[in-house]
Amino acid sequence: MSRPPTFTPPPGVDARRLRTARGDFATLDARPPAGQAKGTVLLLPGFTGSKEDFIALLRPIADAGYRAVSVDGRGQYETRGPEKDEYAYSQGELAQDVLAQSDAVGGAPHLLGHSLGGQIARAAVLRAPADTFASLTLMSSGPAAISSSQQARAKMLTDALGVLSMAEAWAAIQAMDPPEEADLDGDVLRERWLRHSPAQLIATGKQLCAEPDRVTELAAVPLRKHVVSGERDDTWPVAWLDDMADRLHAHRTVIAGAEHSPNTDRPAETAAALIAFWNRSTTG
């Protein structure tokens, strides 16, 4: 579970509703200085996460000339979704949401997905016209299903959500976490958890355990690609991400000192690497 440094938007970052053809989505929106716009970046959070997972990146990205829009997907935190209808959270439906979000922000945004968000981003790219996105960044998001150990954890969670309330499931999760993590922003993290749709968590948890390898298909898409990760990751081992980057002919960045969430572990270094990639993609 990503643990943002804060849930309070910093100056220059606004909480907005993004109106799309597929409904409204809660976002954090950071605009570049007047006259300095280079493009737009659309950021998708991971499993159990939210738009706040990118909060420390948004102002640096905007100051570099890119409008940065991080999104709560359908059923995540402040974007409502059905509580029992798992089909509403099938990967195809979530990918269509991303295409609608892209259309709503305008232009051809750079697309970034963290973890689960990367696999949804991949699905969106694979069904989109070639000029829909300016680039694709997969952050700590691997080629296929998550590792066996993480599959066991995801299955435990999805099984629990079938019989427990969200509050009961949260208590069980906290009992499993190391003590030094359990108290970090506990009230805010609990509130975020309680506002997720259980159907969304069940459906996407199952997706993470069954995702096929679509790297060859993605490699055929004529789009600049970037694979970013920390130097340690037990969700998709770093060696898997290295191999995926090779198969995609993608730019590869490993953030020193970071694990599965470089966006929260090392935000300054992560923002710098992302901006450098987007600048190269923008200038050709």
Side-chain angles (χ1 to χ4, degrees), residues 187-231:
D187 290 343
V188 179
L189 291 172
R190 181 178 185 275
E191 174 66 17
R192 175 173 70 174
W193 169 265
L194 292 176
R195 295 178 70 174
H196 272 66
S197 160
Q200 189 267 352
L201 293 170
I202 292 170
T204 56
K206 291 175 180 177
Q207 289 171 33
L208 287 169
C209 295
E211 179 73 5
D213 188 321
R214 305 184 72 186
V215 174
T216 299
E217 191 179 353
L218 182 63
V221 177
L223 184 69
R224 295 194 182 210
K225 306 173 186 78
H226 189 190
V227 175
V228 182
S229 74
E231 61 183 352

Side-chain angles (χ1 to χ4, degrees), residues 70-204:
S70 61
V71 182
D72 283 342
R74 185 191 308 199
Q76 285 183 320
Y77 192 29
E78 294 182 321
T79 298
R80 293 185 62 85
E83 293 193 4
K84 296 182 179 180
D85 178 13
E86 290 185 36
Y87 177 78
Y89 306 106
S90 63
Q91 190 180 81
E93 289 295 301
L94 298 179
Q96 287 296 136
D97 287 348
V98 174
L99 297 180
Q101 294 158 10
S102 172
D103 185 61
V105 299
H110 297 278
L111 182 61
L112 180 151
H114 172 238
S115 195
L116 170 72
Q119 297 200 329
I120 296 168
R122 177 172 76 176
V125 166
L126 289 174
R127 62 177 57 212
D131 59 352
T132 302
F133 299 106
S135 71
L136 172 65
T137 297
L138 302 175
M139 179 184 288
S140 304
S141 185
I146 54 179
S147 67
S148 296
S149 63
Q150 291 300 308
Q151 286 187 43
R153 288 177 64 91
K155 186 177 188 305
M156 186 183 305
L157 175 60
T158 56
D159 287 349
L161 288 172
V163 295
L164 299 178
S165 69
M166 290 293 285
E168 290 168 336
W170 174 258
I173 291 169
Q174 292 304 97
M176 293 172 59
D177 274 345
E180 66 271 16
E181 293 187 343
D183 295 332
L184 182 60
D185 288 335
D187 290 343
V188 179
L189 291 172
R190 181 178 185 275
E191 174 66 17
R192 175 173 70 174
W193 169 265
L194 292 176
R195 295 178 70 174
H196 272 66
S197 160
Q200 189 267 352
L201 293 170
I202 292 170
T204 56

Side-chain angles (χ1 to χ4, degrees), residues 231-260:
E231 61 183 352
R232 295 177 299 280
D233 197 318
D234 61 359
T235 304
W236 288 278
V238 171
W240 295 8
L241 301 174
D242 291 339
D243 178 70
M244 181 179 73
D246 286 343
R247 293 169 62 196
L248 290 173
H249 306 290
H251 184 67
R252 179 76 171 102
T253 299
V254 177
I255 305 296
E259 298 188 21
H260 184 61

